[in-house]
Amino acid sequence: MRKKVLAVVFILALMASSVPASAKIQPYVYTPTVPETAFAVLALYETADYARVLEGCEWLMALRTPFDSWGYKYGEEHEAKYTAMAMMALMRGERIARGRYNSTINSAAYWLIYKQNPDGSWEDYLGTSLAVLALKEFLKGNYINDKLIGFKKQVQEAISRGEGYLLSAKPENDVERIFGYLALGDGEDLEKMKVEGRLKAYRAFALAYLGKKVELDDDFNDTLSIAMALYATGNEKYRKELIEREHFGFWGTLHYRVLDLLSVSKVNGFSEMRTIACPYLQKITPGSNWEEVVLADYYLTCNRTPSLPSNLSGLLPWQVAELARVKSLLGEDYSEEVSYLLSTERDGVWRDFYNTEYVVWVFKGLNVSYNYSSSLRYLSENLTWMLETTEAKTGNPVYYNVPTYYFAYAVIVFKEFGMERELNETLKILKDRQYPNGAFPYTQGSIAGITSTAKVLWALQEADLTETEIYERGTAFLRSLLYADIPEPETNGTAVVLANATFLLIKNSTYLGNTTGRVCTNGLDGYVVIYPSKSPLAVMAREVNGFKAVARENGRSINYVYIALAGALLLVAIAVWKKR
């Protein structure tokens, strides 16, 4: 938990810190999303974690469209529900840094009014509920720019039409029902609702927003529910869970596919991707026997027991071999799979090049008693055919259309059996196919792929060929793609320096402006670092004298710090009076 630090202590600490903090190379595999970031801001504002509130708000500013509206994440179609969520978050940021977000908030409100349908709705029931909620807060908090003549009346009319729609329309599910009741201020019906799972957190959020006391101690697995539970209860358990889910100042979801990251985790130096990706694997459930086989190895990677098919006749040879390999790792009997494969081979061949090499690889790993000569001869001849045969239409070698992972497994097999010519030819194919940035495509000339690259690197590891140029270039590509070098600001006395960064200055709960590369912290509540200035990777809010929230009510600013101080003085005065 971040603690407010007295100015004197902070300055002394800065003076003592003469050695620049080193940069941290960290996994950068998440993408910020509006719902998770916005509701995290709402929750952390309630617990007075104003530094993280500003971090989230700056990410929301980076995610907005040119119209000051928002989609689910950057680049997606803007919608009323996401715009309303962002508005509500930014209104809290505005209380900490007055003047920073007000213009954007007004533009977002205008966009909502412009997008309202003739029947008073926005897109759907949930969008309407959230839009009404945001506009009500916008109006009540008096965020409206006085220079916008007639705007207040427009907002009032939009709210009235939206409420009319909510009263006449019917919500389709409990989420819509909860936020509909909230937008209409209907706490009585909210309290009557019987909900389970994540909806308990949604309902608790709505009740707390309406000022009702809420008790909640359930466990939740998603960021939205945790944020809402924290807002409703202030429970330190939820706060800790929410902060653990923060990534460089934002909250969001994986930017890359779970299976891509798990494939990468098998490459030396990338094992931490397993920790990141495994919690998401539970969201992927196999829908067929084929998918059970494909997902089995990923389940094992995450120390989970996979479900395996029992009917072998509908599977390809490589899938049957994979079943045998997985069962071996699980300590189960795999003799049925081996017998099936031995009964279906034809002159050492199982269907085609890939199926054959996969069966050979598994058999060799399981020490299956089998004469490999026919299979190895087939693989050698088939490789030669792929190299020498061209397509009639394009004139390209046949191997151009062969998936990269075919050659990855071929490297292992040819190395294992000492087939030097075939190994060198396969390595040459991979070297020619590798892009200048080190990535491997699915097939020759196609889009670079994470899994294709990871498969090649893993195969080179298995074949003890890591001291090669293609391996080094491949690992460099994955590191540059999945990691980011995030430097820490360098402090020297009251000066803070970070090249290519923008510093936002906050003093007396007011946004003073920004500087580039350097800031003097004298007298500041704190500052926000956006690094780099263009296309941010990280947002870091740092307190100096401590950020303070100023509430807005009926056009007046109320500084809660001063109220608390006045209350404390009043209690002292009463105590002195009683002693007399």
Side-chain angles (χ1 to χ4, degrees), residues 2 30 40 44 49 51-53 55-56 59 223 240-252 539-541:
R2 300 182 180 182
Y30 295 92
L44 292 168
D49 193 342
R52 285 191 173 88
V53 167
E55 289 173 353
W59 272 110
T223 303
K240 181 180 178 182
E241 290 175 356
L242 186 61
I243 290 173
E244 285 176 350
R245 291 168 175 259
E246 183 184 16
H247 315 289
F248 309 100
F250 66 79
W251 287 261
V539 177
M540 300 166 276

Side-chain angles (χ1 to χ4, degrees), residues 257-259 262 280-286 291 295 299 304:
R257 294 192 323 137
V258 174
L259 302 187
L262 290 177
Y280 290 85
L281 185 62
Q282 62 186 357
K283 298 180 181 180
I284 304 175
T285 54
E291 290 178 358
L295 291 174
Y299 275 79
R304 295 181 59 190

Side-chain angles (χ1 to χ4, degrees), residues 389-410:
T389 306
T390 58
E391 290 185 323
K393 289 184 178 180
T394 64
N396 293 328
V398 169
Y399 76 83
Y400 272 28
N401 293 325
V402 175
T404 300
Y405 65 86
Y406 280 35
F407 300 114
Y409 283 96

Side-chain angles (χ1 to χ4, degrees), residues 496-516:
V496 181
V497 180
L498 181 59
N500 301 320
T502 295
F503 293 85
L504 309 182
L505 316 182
I506 316 298
K507 183 177 181 179
N508 296 329
S509 303
T510 301
Y511 169 60
L512 299 183
N514 62 69
T515 62
T516 303

Side-chain angles (χ1 to χ4, degrees), residues 23-333:
K24 294 180 179 179
I25 300 175
Q26 304 175 62
Y28 205 95
V29 296
Y30 295 92
T31 187
T33 52
V34 170
E36 283 77 7
T37 300
F39 275 96
V41 166
L42 298 184
L44 292 168
Y45 181 86
E46 292 300 305
T47 60
D49 193 342
Y50 300 139
R52 285 191 173 88
V53 167
L54 292 176
E55 289 173 353
C57 285
E58 285 307 313
W59 272 110
L60 290 172
M61 293 288 279
L63 297 178
R64 60 184 169 156
T65 73
F67 306 100
D68 287 337
S69 54
W70 283 262
Y72 174 70
K73 59 184 178 181
Y74 185 77
E76 294 198 1
E77 184 66 27
H78 49 192
E79 296 182 43
K81 61 174 71 69
Y82 304 124
T83 301
M85 293 174 190
M87 265 187 74
M88 292 173 69
L90 293 179
M91 282 188 276
R92 281 148 182 81
E94 179 66 13
R95 300 171 192 172
I96 304 164
R98 288 172 294 179
R100 172 61 182 167
Y101 309 111
N102 191 264
S103 176
T104 301
I105 294 166
N106 275 266
S107 295
Y110 180 83
W111 183 86
L112 283 176
I113 292 172
Y114 175 75
K115 285 293 184 177
Q116 189 175 27
N117 296 319
D119 65 355
S121 68
W122 282 272
E123 294 144 10
D124 55 23
Y125 199 93
L126 180 60
T128 304
S129 300
L130 287 164
V132 167
L133 194 63
L135 289 176
K136 278 185 172 182
E137 191 170 311
F138 174 69
L139 186 63
K140 184 178 179 181
N142 198 22
Y143 294 94
I144 295 178
N145 189 331
D146 294 335
K147 296 179 181 179
L148 300 176
I149 307 300
F151 191 37
K152 183 175 183 179
K153 183 179 179 182
Q154 287 181 294
V155 174
Q156 290 171 329
E157 291 174 349
I159 292 172
S160 180
R161 291 196 302 272
E163 288 179 326
Y165 173 83
L166 293 175
L167 288 169
S168 62
K170 185 178 180 181
E172 295 184 1
N173 53 57
D174 281 340
V175 173
E176 292 186 344
R177 189 168 289 108
I178 287 170
F179 282 97
Y181 288 151
L182 175 56
L184 294 170
D186 187 354
E188 185 177 340
D189 281 321
L190 265 174
E191 289 181 315
K192 293 177 182 177
M193 283 189 70
K194 302 295 183 184
V195 292
E196 295 296 332
R198 65 189 177 95
L199 294 183
K200 285 187 175 182
Y202 287 36
R203 176 178 170 273
F205 167 82
L207 287 170
Y209 189 96
L210 293 176
K212 297 183 179 295
K213 188 175 181 180
V214 177
E215 291 185 4
L216 186 69
D217 193 37
D218 296 61
D219 293 323
F220 302 103
N221 296 320
D222 64 287
T223 303
L224 265 181
S225 298
I226 293 168
M228 292 188 194
L230 175 60
Y231 180 98
T233 66
N235 190 323
E236 184 62 24
K237 176 182 80 168
Y238 298 131
R239 174 183 162 75
K240 181 180 178 182
E241 290 175 356
L242 186 61
I243 290 173
E244 285 176 350
R245 291 168 175 259
E246 183 184 16
H247 315 289
F248 309 100
F250 66 79
W251 287 261
T253 58
L254 281 183
H255 178 63
Y256 301 99
R257 294 192 323 137
V258 174
L259 302 187
D260 283 342
L261 296 182
L262 290 177
S263 295
V264 170
S265 75
K266 293 190 172 187
V267 179
N268 293 340
F270 293 87
S271 60
E272 62 188 316
M273 290 297 162
R274 200 167 302 170
T275 305
I276 294 170
C278 283
Y280 290 85
L281 185 62
Q282 62 186 357
K283 298 180 181 180
I284 304 175
T285 54
S288 65
N289 288 343
W290 280 40
E291 290 178 358
E292 285 182 337
V293 175
V294 171
L295 291 174
D297 186 62
Y298 294 109
Y299 275 79
L300 291 178
T301 301
C302 294
N303 295 317
R304 295 181 59 190
T305 303
S307 59
L308 301 175
S310 56
N311 182 15
L312 304 182
S313 61
L315 300 177
L316 293 173
W318 82 263
Q319 293 171 325
V320 178
E322 176 67 357
L323 271 182
R325 190 184 72 87
V326 169
K327 283 188 173 182
S328 170
L329 293 172
L330 291 171
E332 298 180 8
D333 179 29

Side-chain angles (χ1 to χ4, degrees), residues 98 187 197 210 243 274 276 325 341 402 411 420 447 453 463 467 473 513 541 571:
R98 288 172 294 179
L210 293 176
I243 290 173
R274 200 167 302 170
I276 294 170
R325 190 184 72 87
L341 288 169
V402 175
V411 165
E420 291 296 323
I447 297 173
T453 304
E467 301 296 324
R473 289 172 58 203
L571 290 174

Side-chain angles (χ1 to χ4, degrees), residues 20 96 100 172 212 308 313 352 385 415 433 436 486 536 553 574:
I96 304 164
R100 172 61 182 167
E172 295 184 1
K212 297 183 179 295
L308 301 175
S313 61
D352 56 23
W385 175 81
K415 179 66 184 301
R433 181 167 291 193
I486 309 294
E553 186 176 40
I574 292 172

